[in-house]
Amino acid sequence: MLDRNQIAQRIAQELQDGWYVNLGIGIPTLVANYIPDGIHVEFQSENGLLGMGPFPFEGEEDADLINAGKQTVTMQKGGSIFDSSMSFAMIRGQHVQLTVLGAMEVSDSGDIANWKIPGKMVKGMGGAMDLVASADNIIVAMSHTNRKGQSKLLRQCSLPLTGVKCVKKVVTNMAVLDITPNGFQLLERAPGVSVQEIQAATEGRLIIEGDVPEMQF
Amino acid sequence: MNKLVKDAKEGLAGVKDGMTLMLGGFGLCGIPENCISALVEEGVKDLTCISNNAGVDDFGIGLMLQKRQVKKMISSYVGENDEFERQMLSGELEVDLIPQGSLAERCRAGGAGIPAFFTPAGYGTEVAIGKEVRYFDGKPHILESALHADYALVKAWKGDRYGNIIFKGTARNFNPVMAMAGKITVVEVEEIVEPGELDPNFIHIPGVFVQRIFQGKGYEKRIEQRTTRPKA
């Protein structure tokens, strides 16, 4: 099974030179640590910056420079700052090539639920609904099962939806899967994880064709 | 043309119980600290506050929540605040959660004279309940309406007495779109400069959108998540 960092590392392999990328909070944020050599991508933070850099050195934090997780960050050379409406114009207008976000549930038709658990305190959707409704290329980073061991890859989401038919790919601690018209297509297994184990942990329709290779790092 | 007022109290003259306010900021970044303090001091209540977030327990809009001045919040994300949660769960506080991009665009539309627009955000979710759906290029969209405010409270970096303002870093966020959408827009700045000092090419919001401006004081600029890396 992969840990959080390895999930991020596997997703980073999807990055292509010249892409603008929006990373959600949690595992997605870690993707920035694994950009493949020779590739230049720009990170977009929905509170209004492009060209987001690493955390500042201690003592150099700037209260006026934060990311969407409200963490202090820095800017890369060539970065830019803009207001919230322009930020979502970028997102809605499909000028950002990849969105990576976490989820509580994903369905085999690409629906995603990641903002609300009925009966629990609702904090809000933030920018997630705008992102999933518009982005062309959405990768979900999450654990394959929840804390109770139940599958998070479902035939249908049980939680309130964030968006419908929008997720393209899911990378979990067990597998890489594409969303196809016929369900989750198993592309790769985590090292040491069998197809049977993935099948057992997947409630939604799972398509297995031929030998499924292990992920390469 | 002189929009300069003395302080937040003078800037907020005319704010009454039951009004709708917009407050700029993302988290605690770029919030109108002086105006919030003045609202708490004045004690106006039953306010509808349009703001991306609701502050933390002891800062930002959290200070107004402590004094039960807010009747309704219109926001995209409202975590990090115990008193908020308590008031929301007890039904004292009404909360309208809307997608962040829709919130920004609804403010922009309000200031730009566009009464409503279609967006894909929220289609197929509970956000879409009761909203008109139309297909454009084969894709479903929902109708969202413009937001307006009696007062928009904006935090900027520098400004002049004509109301021209510029922002610094990600403290810009919702401030420009809210500046456009207030019937009365009150801007607090860290520095008032003479007209002409700001290069017209680099003014973020022209003074036409601003009714009152003042030099703020004592900015705390609290950091919500202080994240750093060690020096190599």
Side-chain angles (χ1 to χ4, degrees):
Chain A
M1 301 257 194
L2 305 186
D3 63 22
R4 291 159 53 87
N5 282 298
Q6 289 168 316
I7 295 175
Q9 198 176 353
R10 176 58 192 82
I11 290 171
Q13 293 175 10
E14 304 289 319
L15 299 173
Q16 290 183 24
D17 192 40
W19 273 8
Y20 293 97
V21 178
N22 181 291
L23 301 177
I25 293 161
I27 298 173
T29 307
L30 302 172
V31 173
N33 299 333
Y34 299 102
I35 306 166
D37 287 342
I39 282 186
H40 181 89
V41 295
E42 294 260 306
F43 292 110
Q44 200 256 14
S45 190
E46 68 226 32
N47 58 318
L49 76 108
L50 260 183
M52 179 169 48
F55 294 152
F57 292 122
E58 208 175 312
E60 294 177 11
E61 309 93 309
D62 179 357
D64 290 330
L65 196 59
I66 63 167
N67 64 16
K70 287 121 186 173
Q71 298 169 312
T72 46
V73 291
T74 57
M75 296 279 295
Q76 302 278 21
K77 274 185 189 149
S80 55
I81 303 253
F82 35 87
D83 67 59
S84 299
S85 120
M86 186 175 283
S87 179
F88 283 93
M90 268 168 223
I91 290 164
R92 245 187 267 103
Q94 302 189 333
H95 305 281
V96 174
Q97 279 77 25
L98 174 65
T99 291
V100 184
L101 73 178
M104 299 188 285
E105 294 177 347
V106 174
S107 82
D108 63 22
S109 55
D111 297 350
I112 176 171
N114 72 350
W115 76 284
K116 183 175 184 178
I117 300 173
K120 286 203 178 170
M121 170 65 185
V122 181
K123 291 189 171 187
M125 66 292 282
M129 283 192 185
D130 310 271
L131 279 158
V132 300
S134 300
D136 242 351
N137 189 10
I138 299 173
I139 300 179
V140 165
M142 66 177 190
S143 57
H144 211 96
T145 54
N146 64 21
R147 281 182 194 140
K148 292 180 194 157
Q150 297 159 328
S151 181
K152 292 167 71 173
L153 289 87
L154 307 172
R155 185 78 181 84
Q156 275 191 319
C157 294
S158 63
L159 295 169
L161 294 179
T162 309
V164 294
K165 292 184 174 58
C166 50
V167 177
K168 296 289 189 297
K169 192 184 279 289
V170 183
V171 178
T172 74
N173 51 339
M174 301 180 83
V176 179
L177 311 104
D178 264 353
I179 310 263
T180 72
N182 300 315
F184 298 110
Q185 173 141 25
L186 182 56
L187 300 180
E188 296 172 25
R189 300 174 287 123
V193 176
S194 71
V195 169
Q196 290 70 27
E197 286 172 294
I198 294 164
Q199 176 79 74
T202 307
E203 195 255 355
R205 294 172 297 167
L206 185 67
I207 304 158
I208 304 158
E209 284 175 353
D211 274 348
V212 179
E214 281 194 356
M215 299 176 202
Q216 300 294 317
F217 289 97
Chain B
M1 183 78 63
N2 184 12
K3 298 174 179 180
L4 199 61
V5 295
K6 193 168 76 205
D7 55 15
K9 191 173 176 193
E10 204 176 309
L12 294 174
V15 174
K16 292 187 178 66
D17 292 353
M19 278 188 165
T20 297
L21 310 181
M22 285 182 183
L23 297 97
F26 186 97
L28 301 178
C29 181
I31 58 173
E33 292 185 21
N34 282 221
C35 282
I36 290 171
S37 298
L39 286 168
V40 170
E41 202 169 304
E42 295 289 306
V44 280
K45 56 185 194 299
D46 295 328
L47 299 170
T48 295
C49 291
I50 303 170
S51 175
N52 189 54
N53 313 95
V56 294
D57 272 318
D58 60 345
F59 203 56
I61 292 175
L63 297 170
M64 295 163 67
L65 290 162
Q66 274 182 20
K67 301 253 314 248
R68 315 243 164 103
Q69 294 176 274
V70 184
K71 181 185 68 180
K72 181 177 180 180
M73 278 303 307
I74 300 176
S75 303
S76 87
Y77 191 83
V78 293
E80 344 302 346
N81 192 328
D82 292 339
E83 178 61 15
F84 185 99
E85 185 171 343
R86 193 197 65 71
Q87 290 184 23
M88 181 172 161
L89 294 175
S90 71
E92 288 168 62
L93 178 66
E94 196 182 331
V95 180
D96 192 1
L97 292 170
I98 54 186
Q100 193 178 142
S102 297
L103 177 63
E105 198 60 19
R106 289 175 70 181
C107 294
R108 202 196 76 83
I114 293 171
F117 57 91
F118 282 96
T119 176
Y123 171 78
T125 76
E126 60 189 58
V127 165
I129 293 169
K131 290 175 185 159
E132 184 182 341
V133 174
R134 268 176 72 177
Y135 283 74
F136 297 93
D137 296 326
K139 220 184 143 180
H141 295 74
I142 61 174
L143 186 65
E144 292 281 9
S145 57
L147 288 168
H148 302 274
D150 296 305
Y151 284 74
L153 313 181
V154 165
K155 161 73 185 9
W157 181 27
K158 296 179 184 181
D160 61 32
R161 64 173 182 269
Y162 285 69
N164 299 306
I165 49 177
I166 61 170
F167 302 91
K168 180 167 166 279
T170 56
R172 190 179 323 185
N173 57 62
F174 280 84
N175 281 297
V177 288
M178 290 183 171
M180 291 168 66
K183 276 181 216 152
I184 295 178
T185 290
V186 183
V187 180
E188 52 178 275
V189 294
E190 290 174 49
E191 189 184 347
I192 291 282
V193 299
E194 283 302 308
E197 270 188 56
L198 297 176
D199 183 334
N201 292 298
F202 297 106
I203 284 170
H204 294 139
I205 287 291
V208 69
F209 293 109
V210 173
Q211 280 67 47
R212 301 171 191 172
I213 185 167
F214 67 93
Q215 163 108 46
K217 57 176 196 260
Y219 283 104
E220 189 176 333
K221 292 198 184 180
R222 202 182 288 188
I223 292 175
E224 220 165 318
Q225 306 282 343
R226 187 179 296 274
T227 44
T228 58
R229 68 189 146 134
K231 278 191 179 156

